[in-house]
Amino acid sequence: MSSLVDTQNEPDHRNLAIDRVGVKALRYPLSIKDKDGHTQNTVATLSLAVDLPKEFKGTHMSRFVEALNANQEPLEVSTIVSLPQSLLERLPSDKAHVTLRFPFFRSKAAPVTEKQSLLDYEVEFDVETNRKGETNLTLTVFVPVTTLCPCSKAISQYGAHNQRGTVTFAVQMSSPIWIEDLIELVETSASAQLYSLLKREDEKFVTEQAYENPVFVEDLVRNVATKANEHPEILSYRVEAENYESIHNHNAYAVIEG
Amino acid sequence: MSSLVDTQNEPDHRNLAIDRVGVKALRYPLSIKDKDGHTQNTVATLSLAVDLPKEFKGTHMSRFVEALNANQEPLEVSTIVSLPQSLLERLPSDKAHVTLRFPFFRSKAAPVTEKQSLLDYEVEFDVETNRKGETNLTLTVFVPVTTLCPCSKAISQYGAHNQRGTVTFAVQMSSPIWIEDLIELVETSASAQLYSLLKREDEKFVTEQAYENPVFVEDLVRNVATKANEHPEILSYRVEAENYESIHNHNAYAVIEG
Amino acid sequence: MSSLVDTQNEPDHRNLAIDRVGVKALRYPLSIKDKDGHTQNTVATLSLAVDLPKEFKGTHMSRFVEALNANQEPLEVSTIVSLPQSLLERLPSDKAHVTLRFPFFRSKAAPVTEKQSLLDYEVEFDVETNRKGETNLTLTVFVPVTTLCPCSKAISQYGAHNQRGTVTFAVQMSSPIWIEDLIELVETSASAQLYSLLKREDEKFVTEQAYENPVFVEDLVRNVATKANEHPEILSYRVEAENYESIHNHNAYAVIEG
Amino acid sequence: MSSLVDTQNEPDHRNLAIDRVGVKALRYPLSIKDKDGHTQNTVATLSLAVDLPKEFKGTHMSRFVEALNANQEPLEVSTIVSLPQSLLERLPSDKAHVTLRFPFFRSKAAPVTEKQSLLDYEVEFDVETNRKGETNLTLTVFVPVTTLCPCSKAISQYGAHNQRGTVTFAVQMSSPIWIEDLIELVETSASAQLYSLLKREDEKFVTEQAYENPVFVEDLVRNVATKANEHPEILSYRVEAENYESIHNHNAYAVIEG
C-alpha cells in the first residue's frame, strides 16, 4: 500500500511556517504517584503539537497518537515529560509541545472528626522541548476554596457573604514540587479549604474559620503570590482567583504574575 | 434542478416510526415584551422537531429553517407559539415540538440605595402541538439566588456558609404568566436575591437579610412549591434547586414535581 | 459535641414531600472490569439522592458521602449497584437513586494495518432502588460515530458531506450486557466507526466505507432501534443521534423510544 | 450610611501590585451596527478589570458595574471602546481592560437558490487603555467552516472525510475593519462555508465545492495568514483552526501568529 500518495509530504509554496500543529482533546488513561507513595489512576485530556517548517504541506497527525501508544498504557509522568522529545524523533520539527489536564484526588481529614474523604482537583502539565533538548515545564493546579468577603463582614451586624472560588496557580520550577504542596500553598491562603465530608462539628469549624479569615479575591492572589515569592523552587508563576459571588450573578477575579 | 433525487421521500422498510427528528443548537435573534411594556432584544438557541411516520426515509431538514425564516426577524413570542403549527403545515407529521432558550434581563433596584442595574436570567419555552391543534406549553425560568445554610448558622458561634444557587422552575399554565412573576416567586423563596450592582449599604442589607433567612435546598424547593400550589394559573410544575456549596466541591440539590 | 443542634431533623410543617434530594457533581475514582477481563481505572461524576418524607426538614447530606466512603476506593460496579440500598439503610427514605458517568476506553485495531489504539466513550449508570428491594438499572453509552449524508451523495457528482455524530443509547436489561456490546451495536449502525490511530491505508478504508454506507440521522436511530428490538436482553431503550453537520452551524437529531 | 467601613480603601502591607482585578461573566445587552447599516441586537458576556497599585487592599467592584450603567442600555461599540477610559476615571489605576464576547449574525444567500438565512458567529472585542490614553484593540472572530481532507481525497477511490471546523482569527488593526470582512476572509480560506438554509441544489453545490477545495488544518491557517499578511489594515494577527475530525474522536488544530 506504499503507493498511496503522501499529500502531507508535498512541498508548500506559501512560504509560511506554522507555529503549532497537532491534535487536541484526546483522552488517555494516566497513572500518577502521590506524595504519600500511592499510585492514582485517572484520565487525562491531551494536546500534542509541533511547529511545521515552511517547506512542508502538512504534519503527520497519526504519529502523535503513535508516540502516545509507543509507551505502556496508562501514561506516567516520566513518559509525559519525554513525550515532546519523542515527537521530535518522529517529525522534522524544532519544537514539540504537550499539554495534559486531569482530575487528581487527595484524601483529607475533616478538621474536627478527622473523617477521611477524597477531594478532587484539576491539574495540568505543559511541557515544551526544542531540538537542543531544552525543556520548559509548567505545572498548574486548579484549587477550589472558600472565600468570605471582608467588606461584607465589616459592615454587617451579623453574617458575611461567602462562596466557592477557584484558584488557578501555574508555576515554573527549578526542581520538582509535589502537586499536593502547591495545592496546600493555595488552600492555606483562602478563608477556608473545602472537604467532601464534613460532620456537624466540622461544619461549625469551617464556618467559624472562614468568618475569622475573610479574604477579598485580591487578598487571595496576594497570599499565594507572597508564598510563591518566598518558595525556593518556584522560578516564576501566575496566580488567578475567581469567586462565584453569592450576592451577584457574575464573578470577581484577580491575577498576579511574578 | 427538479431532477435531483429526493432521498428523504423514498419509502422506508424498517417499519419504525421516529418519535422526534429535526434540528438542534440553531441560534436566532428574539425579541420579547417585558411586563413593563418594553421590548427586549436577545438571542435564542432553538431546537425544532417533528415525529416521522414509519413510511418515510427522512424528514426535510431545510423546512425547519424555512419555517423560522417565514417570519419577520427577530422572532417574537407569538411566532414561537405558532411555530409547531407552521411545521405541521410543511411536513407530514402528527406532532411538532419547538424549544428555545435565551438570556432575559430585569432591571432591579438595589435594596437600600435603589440604584438600578440589570440582572440576567435564562428562560426556556417548550411548545408542542398536534394535528388536532392541541398545544402544550411549558415555561421554565432559571433563577440564580443566595442560599444560607440553616444548620451552619445554628451550630456556629458566628457566620454561616452561604453560596449562589440556581433554581430551575418549569410550569404549565392555564393562562399566560409573566416571566417576571415566576422569577419573583422564586427570588422571594431564597435567603436573598441577587443584584448586579450593590453599594456598601446594599451589601450590608443583603448580607443581614440572608443571615436572617436561612434556607436548605429542601426549604427552597418547598417554598417555591408552596407558592406554586397556591397560584391559580399554575396547573403543574417541577422545581429543582442546586446549591454550589461554598464548603464543598460538589453541589446539593432537591426536586419537587407537583 | 453531641449538643450541636440537628436542624435537619426538625419537623417540617409545609406538608410537602420532596421527590429527590442529595448531592451532585461529586467526583470519585472508579474501576471497572472489561469484557476481555482487564480492569479499567477511570473517574466518575456522581449524583446520589433519596426522597424525603414530608415530616422532615432536611436530609443529611454527609451520609451520602459516607455511603460512598464505606466502600473501598476506587468504586466498583458491584458497589454502585448496591449504593442505593446502602443509602436506604442510612436515611429514612423510600427510594434511593444513584447516577454516575465516566470515560471508558476500548482498544481498537485499525481496519487495515490493525494498529491498536484506545478510543474513549462516555458511559452512564443510573440505579434506583426502593424499600421493597426493587431495582431499576439503566445503562447508557455515548458513542461517537461517522455519518455520511445519503442525500448529499445521491445529488452530487462527487463527494458527500459527512461529520462526527454522537449516539446516546440508553437501555434497561433483563440480564447484564457488556458495555462493549452496546457500543458495537451502535458503531455498526453508522456510516463508519471512529479510531484514534489510522494510517493512510486505514484512512482510505474508512473514507470509502463511509461513502458506501450513507446514513441519515433517521437511519442511524432506526438501525440501532432495529437491533435493540431484536436483542433478547434489552427490555426497553431510548436512542438519540445528533450529527454535527459539516455544512451547517447547527445539528441534526432524531430520537426513538422503544 | 457614610459611616460604613471602607475595607477596600485600607492600606495593604504585602507590597504586591495586582496585574488585573475586576468582574467576569457579566451579561449585558449590546447593539452593533452591521456593514449594511442595520442595527443588530445581541447579548454580550463581559469582563472588566484594572490593575491595582500595591498601596490598596482592594478595588471597588461596584464601580465596574456603575461604569457600564452610566451609558444608555444597550451598550454600543463606541461605548465599549471608551469603557476602559471610563474605568480609569473611577479608579486609581494605570491600565484598564475590557473584554466582551457576543453572538453576531449575517444574512447569507444560499449559493444556488439564493434563499436567505441567518448564520451565527461569535465575536470578541478586547480593549486595553492606559493613563496616557494609549489604547490596544483586538478584534476576534470565531468562524465555523467546512474542511475536506486532501489526504483522504487523494488516497480514496471515492469520497473524502470532511467536518465542521472553527477558525479563531484575532487581529490588531491600524484602522477599523468590518467584522463581516474578517469573517469573509476566513470563509473563503476553507473548503466551503456554512449556511443555515440549503435546498438540494445548494447542498449539491457545497458538497462538490468542498470536494474541489480540500484543505488540511495547516492549509486553512496558511490561507488566512496569507490574506492577513497582504491586508493593509491588519498590523498583527493570530489564527487558529480546529477541525472536529469526522474519523476521530479528537480534533486537529494549527496556529500561526504573524
Side-chain angles (χ1 to χ4, degrees):
Chain A
M1 196 65 85
S2 60
S3 61
L4 289 181
V5 184
D6 187 353
T7 319
Q8 287 88 340
N9 259 345
E10 291 174 3
D12 198 89
H13 306 293
R14 279 161 296 196
N15 207 31
L16 274 167
I18 291 180
D19 292 291
R20 202 172 276 192
V21 56
V23 296
K24 237 187 190 178
L26 187 66
R27 295 203 289 186
Y28 214 85
L30 170 74
S31 80
I32 183 164
K33 274 250 171 60
D34 271 353
K35 191 179 176 185
D36 54 7
H38 298 121
T39 295
Q40 282 197 29
N41 293 293
T42 182
V43 175
T45 302
L46 293 106
S47 63
L48 304 105
V50 295
D51 68 309
L52 184 72
K54 63 184 184 340
E55 294 77 16
F56 296 101
K57 182 166 170 63
T59 191
H60 289 84
M61 296 285 184
S62 64
R63 298 193 193 162
F64 294 93
V65 184
E66 285 180 310
L68 262 181
N69 287 0
N71 303 285
Q72 277 216 290
E73 169 215 323
L75 281 177
E76 294 180 15
V77 171
S78 57
T79 312
I80 296 163
V81 174
S82 63
L83 259 178
Q85 181 58 40
S86 154
L87 292 176
L88 291 181
E89 288 161 15
R90 292 162 192 269
L91 293 160
S93 295
D94 286 327
K95 274 190 310 193
H97 186 261
V98 171
T99 305
L100 78 177
R101 184 168 169 160
F102 53 91
F104 179 85
F105 292 91
R106 279 175 79 207
S107 185
K108 298 175 77 165
V112 178
T113 62
E114 299 191 340
K115 293 209 175 209
Q116 292 286 327
S117 65
L118 291 179
L119 193 68
D120 61 309
Y121 305 83
E122 292 278 308
V123 174
E124 188 172 293
F125 281 98
D126 189 293
V127 195
E128 190 171 69
T129 299
N130 65 17
R131 281 255 161 240
K132 297 180 197 159
E134 295 161 340
T135 288
N136 285 312
L137 172 67
T138 303
L139 173 56
T140 306
V141 292
F142 302 81
V143 183
V145 295
T146 302
T147 58
L148 185 138
C149 178
C151 170
S152 172
K153 174 180 172 177
I155 62 182
S156 304
Q157 282 195 282
Y158 34 75
H161 78 80
N162 54 75
Q163 54 269 318
R164 205 189 294 163
T166 302
V167 178
T168 303
F169 183 37
V171 301
Q172 290 80 38
M173 304 157 285
S174 57
S175 60
I177 305 179
W178 288 104
I179 291 169
E180 289 86 342
D181 292 347
L182 289 181
I183 289 173
E184 205 179 303
L185 188 157
V186 172
E187 288 186 332
T188 53
S189 302
S191 296
Q193 56 183 297
L194 307 189
Y195 302 86
S196 291
L197 177 57
L198 293 171
K199 301 302 292 180
R200 262 175 305 154
E201 300 86 317
D202 304 309
E203 185 170 352
K204 174 181 163 63
F205 181 92
V206 296
T207 300
E208 295 173 356
Q209 184 188 40
Y211 193 80
E212 290 158 1
N213 293 284
V215 294
F216 285 127
V217 75
E218 294 94 328
D219 293 313
L220 184 45
V221 293
R222 276 174 167 151
N223 289 347
V224 172
T226 299
K227 291 174 192 167
N229 288 338
E230 289 165 358
H231 196 295
E233 267 94 37
I234 295 178
L235 300 173
S236 62
Y237 62 89
R238 183 181 190 279
V239 53
E240 173 164 354
E242 182 166 2
N243 281 352
Y244 312 109
E245 302 285 292
S246 66
I247 60 171
H248 298 303
N249 199 25
H250 59 259
N251 306 332
Y253 82 113
V255 181
I256 294 180
E257 298 192 45
Chain B
M1 195 64 87
S2 59
S3 60
L4 288 180
V5 184
D6 187 353
T7 319
Q8 287 88 341
N9 260 345
E10 290 174 4
D12 198 88
H13 306 293
R14 278 161 296 195
N15 206 32
L16 275 167
I18 292 180
D19 292 291
R20 205 172 273 192
V21 55
V23 296
K24 237 187 191 179
L26 186 66
R27 295 202 289 185
Y28 214 85
L30 170 74
S31 80
I32 183 164
K33 273 251 169 61
D34 272 352
K35 191 180 175 184
D36 55 7
H38 297 123
T39 296
Q40 282 197 30
N41 293 292
T42 182
V43 175
T45 302
L46 292 106
S47 64
L48 304 105
V50 294
D51 67 309
L52 183 72
K54 63 184 185 338
E55 293 77 17
F56 297 102
K57 184 168 169 61
T59 191
H60 289 85
M61 297 286 184
S62 64
R63 297 194 194 162
F64 295 94
V65 184
E66 284 179 312
L68 263 182
N69 287 0
N71 302 286
Q72 275 215 291
E73 169 213 323
L75 283 176
E76 294 181 16
V77 171
S78 57
T79 312
I80 295 163
V81 174
S82 63
L83 258 178
Q85 181 56 41
S86 154
L87 292 175
L88 291 180
E89 288 161 16
R90 293 163 192 268
L91 293 160
S93 296
D94 286 327
K95 275 191 307 192
H97 186 262
V98 171
T99 304
L100 77 176
R101 184 168 168 160
F102 53 91
F104 179 84
F105 292 89
R106 279 175 79 208
S107 185
K108 298 174 76 165
V112 179
T113 63
E114 300 191 339
K115 292 210 175 207
Q116 292 285 328
S117 64
L118 291 178
L119 193 68
D120 61 311
Y121 305 84
E122 292 278 307
V123 174
E124 190 173 292
F125 281 97
D126 190 292
V127 195
E128 191 171 69
T129 298
N130 65 18
R131 281 254 162 241
K132 297 180 199 159
E134 295 161 339
T135 288
N136 285 311
L137 171 67
T138 302
L139 173 57
T140 306
V141 292
F142 302 80
V143 183
V145 295
T146 303
T147 59
L148 186 137
C149 179
C151 170
S152 172
K153 174 180 172 178
I155 62 183
S156 304
Q157 282 195 282
Y158 33 75
H161 78 80
N162 54 74
Q163 53 270 319
R164 205 190 294 165
T166 302
V167 178
T168 303
F169 184 37
V171 301
Q172 289 79 39
M173 304 157 286
S174 57
S175 60
I177 305 179
W178 288 105
I179 291 169
E180 290 85 344
D181 292 347
L182 289 180
I183 289 172
E184 205 179 303
L185 188 158
V186 171
E187 289 186 331
T188 54
S189 302
S191 296
Q193 55 183 298
L194 306 189
Y195 301 87
S196 291
L197 177 58
L198 293 171
K199 301 304 291 181
R200 262 175 305 155
E201 299 87 317
D202 304 309
E203 185 170 352
K204 173 181 163 63
F205 181 92
V206 296
T207 301
E208 295 173 356
Q209 184 187 38
Y211 193 80
E212 290 158 1
N213 293 284
V215 293
F216 285 127
V217 75
E218 293 94 329
D219 293 312
L220 185 44
V221 292
R222 277 173 167 150
N223 289 346
V224 173
T226 300
K227 290 175 193 167
N229 287 338
E230 290 165 358
H231 196 294
E233 266 95 37
I234 295 179
L235 300 173
S236 62
Y237 63 89
R238 182 182 191 277
V239 54
E240 173 165 356
E242 182 166 3
N243 280 353
Y244 312 109
E245 301 286 294
S246 67
I247 61 171
H248 299 304
N249 199 26
H250 60 258
N251 305 333
Y253 82 111
V255 180
I256 294 180
E257 297 192 46
Chain C
M1 197 62 87
S2 60
S3 61
L4 288 181
V5 184
D6 186 352
T7 319
Q8 287 89 341
N9 260 345
E10 290 174 3
D12 199 87
H13 306 293
R14 278 162 295 196
N15 206 31
L16 274 167
I18 292 180
D19 292 291
R20 203 172 275 191
V21 55
V23 296
K24 236 186 191 179
L26 187 67
R27 294 202 290 185
Y28 214 84
L30 170 74
S31 80
I32 182 164
K33 274 252 170 59
D34 270 353
K35 191 179 176 184
D36 54 6
H38 298 122
T39 295
Q40 282 197 30
N41 293 293
T42 181
V43 174
T45 302
L46 292 106
S47 63
L48 303 104
V50 295
D51 67 308
L52 184 72
K54 62 183 185 339
E55 293 76 17
F56 297 102
K57 183 165 169 64
T59 191
H60 289 85
M61 296 286 183
S62 64
R63 298 195 194 162
F64 295 94
V65 184
E66 285 180 310
L68 262 183
N69 287 359
N71 302 285
Q72 277 215 290
E73 170 215 323
L75 282 176
E76 294 180 15
V77 171
S78 57
T79 312
I80 294 163
V81 174
S82 62
L83 258 177
Q85 181 57 41
S86 155
L87 292 176
L88 290 181
E89 288 161 15
R90 293 162 192 271
L91 293 159
S93 296
D94 286 327
K95 273 190 311 189
H97 186 261
V98 171
T99 305
L100 77 177
R101 183 167 169 159
F102 52 91
F104 179 85
F105 292 90
R106 281 174 79 208
S107 185
K108 298 174 78 165
V112 178
T113 63
E114 299 191 339
K115 293 209 174 208
Q116 292 286 327
S117 65
L118 291 178
L119 194 69
D120 60 310
Y121 305 84
E122 292 279 306
V123 175
E124 190 172 293
F125 280 98
D126 190 291
V127 195
E128 191 171 68
T129 298
N130 65 18
R131 281 257 160 238
K132 299 180 197 157
E134 295 161 338
T135 288
N136 286 311
L137 171 67
T138 303
L139 173 56
T140 306
V141 292
F142 302 80
V143 184
V145 295
T146 303
T147 58
L148 186 137
C149 178
C151 170
S152 172
K153 174 180 172 179
I155 62 181
S156 304
Q157 283 195 282
Y158 33 76
H161 77 81
N162 55 75
Q163 53 268 319
R164 204 190 295 164
T166 303
V167 178
T168 303
F169 183 36
V171 301
Q172 289 80 38
M173 304 157 286
S174 56
S175 61
I177 305 180
W178 288 104
I179 292 169
E180 289 87 342
D181 291 348
L182 290 180
I183 289 173
E184 205 178 305
L185 187 158
V186 172
E187 289 186 332
T188 54
S189 303
S191 296
Q193 55 183 298
L194 307 189
Y195 301 86
S196 291
L197 177 57
L198 293 171
K199 302 303 290 182
R200 264 176 302 156
E201 299 87 318
D202 304 309
E203 185 170 352
K204 173 182 165 62
F205 181 91
V206 296
T207 300
E208 295 173 356
Q209 184 187 39
Y211 193 79
E212 291 158 359
N213 293 284
V215 293
F216 285 127
V217 76
E218 294 93 329
D219 293 313
L220 185 45
V221 292
R222 276 174 167 152
N223 288 347
V224 172
T226 299
K227 290 174 192 166
N229 287 337
E230 290 165 357
H231 196 295
E233 267 94 36
I234 295 179
L235 300 173
S236 62
Y237 62 88
R238 182 181 191 278
V239 54
E240 172 163 356
E242 181 166 3
N243 281 352
Y244 312 109
E245 301 286 293
S246 67
I247 61 171
H248 299 303
N249 199 26
H250 59 260
N251 306 332
Y253 82 111
V255 181
I256 294 179
E257 298 192 45
Chain D
M1 196 61 87
S2 61
S3 60
L4 289 180
V5 184
D6 186 354
T7 319
Q8 287 89 341
N9 258 347
E10 289 173 4
D12 198 88
H13 305 295
R14 278 162 296 195
N15 206 31
L16 275 166
I18 291 180
D19 292 292
R20 202 172 277 191
V21 55
V23 295
K24 237 187 191 179
L26 187 67
R27 294 202 290 184
Y28 213 86
L30 170 74
S31 80
I32 183 165
K33 273 251 170 61
D34 272 353
K35 190 178 176 186
D36 54 7
H38 298 123
T39 296
Q40 283 196 29
N41 292 294
T42 182
V43 174
T45 302
L46 292 107
S47 64
L48 303 105
V50 295
D51 67 309
L52 184 73
K54 63 184 184 341
E55 292 77 17
F56 296 101
K57 182 165 170 65
T59 191
H60 288 85
M61 296 285 184
S62 64
R63 299 195 194 161
F64 294 93
V65 183
E66 285 180 312
L68 262 182
N69 288 359
N71 302 284
Q72 277 216 289
E73 170 214 324
L75 282 177
E76 294 181 15
V77 171
S78 57
T79 312
I80 295 163
V81 174
S82 63
L83 258 178
Q85 181 57 42
S86 154
L87 292 175
L88 291 180
E89 287 160 16
R90 292 162 192 270
L91 293 159
S93 296
D94 286 328
K95 274 190 310 191
H97 186 261
V98 170
T99 305
L100 79 176
R101 183 166 169 161
F102 53 91
F104 179 84
F105 293 91
R106 281 174 78 207
S107 185
K108 299 175 75 164
V112 178
T113 63
E114 299 192 340
K115 292 208 176 208
Q116 291 285 328
S117 65
L118 290 180
L119 193 69
D120 60 311
Y121 305 83
E122 292 278 306
V123 174
E124 189 173 293
F125 281 97
D126 189 292
V127 195
E128 190 171 70
T129 299
N130 65 18
R131 280 256 163 239
K132 296 180 199 160
E134 295 161 338
T135 289
N136 285 313
L137 171 68
T138 303
L139 173 57
T140 306
V141 292
F142 302 80
V143 183
V145 295
T146 303
T147 58
L148 186 139
C149 178
C151 171
S152 172
K153 173 181 173 179
I155 63 182
S156 305
Q157 282 194 282
Y158 33 76
H161 79 79
N162 54 75
Q163 53 269 319
R164 206 189 294 165
T166 303
V167 177
T168 303
F169 184 36
V171 301
Q172 290 80 38
M173 304 156 285
S174 57
S175 61
I177 305 180
W178 288 104
I179 291 169
E180 289 87 342
D181 291 347
L182 290 180
I183 289 172
E184 205 178 304
L185 187 158
V186 172
E187 289 186 331
T188 53
S189 303
S191 295
Q193 55 183 298
L194 306 189
Y195 301 85
S196 291
L197 177 58
L198 293 171
K199 300 305 289 181
R200 262 176 302 156
E201 300 87 317
D202 304 307
E203 185 169 353
K204 174 181 163 62
F205 181 92
V206 296
T207 301
E208 295 173 356
Q209 184 187 39
Y211 193 80
E212 290 158 1
N213 293 283
V215 292
F216 285 128
V217 77
E218 294 94 328
D219 293 313
L220 184 46
V221 293
R222 276 174 167 151
N223 289 347
V224 172
T226 300
K227 290 175 192 166
N229 288 338
E230 289 166 357
H231 195 295
E233 266 95 38
I234 295 178
L235 300 173
S236 62
Y237 63 89
R238 182 183 191 279
V239 53
E240 172 164 356
E242 181 166 4
N243 281 352
Y244 312 109
E245 301 285 294
S246 67
I247 60 171
H248 299 303
N249 199 25
H250 59 260
N251 306 332
Y253 82 112
V255 181
I256 294 179
E257 298 192 46

